């Protein structure tokens, strides 16, 4: 098998073992958004929210060459008008060194697939008004 056949960018559901890496990526996101003073995530606080008896959220990990370099944290909300649950993307972040690898697109596509599989009426997120790069990325993916 040639190296070209080996996927360099992959997406998978996070496991308990990923919690420290997710917290590290959350901190990187906070620095990127210039909000590190507000980031108080720790593995001890995040783990029960992802893997406790009543998880509040779920997380996908994006890997490039087997190394975790991206995450997408999401949860379900509810639409009273549709009487259906929705999927809300809280954060999607790709380390600057891994941008352009296709991971952002793969994460969004996997989230959309999850929304369809779970019969969600909506797939929503918001973007900071100053983050024009993210806005352009989402528009290229067909988002409004």
């Amino acid at each position: 098998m040639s190296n070209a056949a080996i996927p360099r960018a992959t997406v998978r559901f996070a496991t308990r073992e990923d919690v420290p890496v997710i917290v590290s990526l959350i901190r990187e996101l906070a620095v990127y958004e210039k909000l590190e003073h507000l980031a108080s995530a720790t593995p001890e606080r995040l783990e029960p929210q992802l893997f406790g008896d009543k998880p509040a959220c779920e997380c996908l990990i994006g890997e490039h060459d087997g190394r975790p370099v991206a995450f997408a944290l999401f949860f379900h909300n509810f639409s009273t008008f549709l009487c259906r649950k929705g999927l809300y993307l809280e954060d999607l972040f790709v380390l600057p060194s891994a941008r352009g690898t296709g991971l952002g697109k793969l994460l969004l596509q996997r989230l959309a697939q999850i929304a369809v599989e779970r019969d969600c009426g909506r797939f929503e997120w918001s973007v900071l008004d100053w983050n024009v790069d993210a806005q352009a990325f989402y528009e290229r993916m067909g988002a409004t």
Side-chain angles (χ1 to χ4, degrees):
M1 178 185 290
S2 73
N3 284 343
I6 299 170
R8 297 189 67 186
T10 57
V11 170
R12 62 176 173 79
F13 274 95
T15 66
R16 274 189 163 87
E17 292 73 31
D18 293 313
V19 170
V21 119
I22 297 166
V23 169
S24 174
L25 289 166
I26 289 170
R27 289 185 185 138
E28 292 278 348
L29 170 62
V31 169
Y32 176 76
E33 292 184 347
K34 297 174 181 39
L35 296 172
E36 60 266 35
H37 61 287
L38 298 176
S40 61
T42 65
E44 297 75 23
R45 291 177 75 188
L46 182 61
E47 192 272 338
Q49 302 305 320
L50 285 168
F51 302 106
D53 291 339
K54 293 185 178 183
C57 56
E58 299 177 71
C59 188
L60 296 176
I61 298 290
E63 295 180 328
H64 190 257
D65 290 336
R67 188 172 64 92
V69 294
F71 80 104
L73 195 135
F74 64 99
F75 55 89
H76 288 288
N77 55 15
F78 186 77
S79 168
T80 54
F81 284 17
L82 298 176
C83 287
R84 289 170 67 191
K85 67 182 170 185
L87 192 143
Y88 188 83
L89 171 60
E90 178 66 22
D91 285 313
L92 187 151
F93 181 71
V94 179
L95 288 174
S97 62
R99 292 188 185 151
T101 61
L103 273 171
K105 182 177 181 179
L106 284 175
L107 285 164
L108 268 185
Q109 288 173 334
R110 182 63 182 115
L111 288 164
Q113 181 183 25
I114 291 167
V116 169
E117 290 167 357
R118 295 181 185 181
D119 195 32
C120 294
R122 295 179 178 157
F123 172 24
E124 301 174 298
W125 65 93
S126 60
V127 182
L128 294 171
D129 59 356
W130 59 262
N131 196 344
V132 293
D133 290 340
Q135 292 170 23
F137 166 73
Y138 292 128
E139 287 170 4
R140 284 193 305 275
M141 292 291 297
T144 56

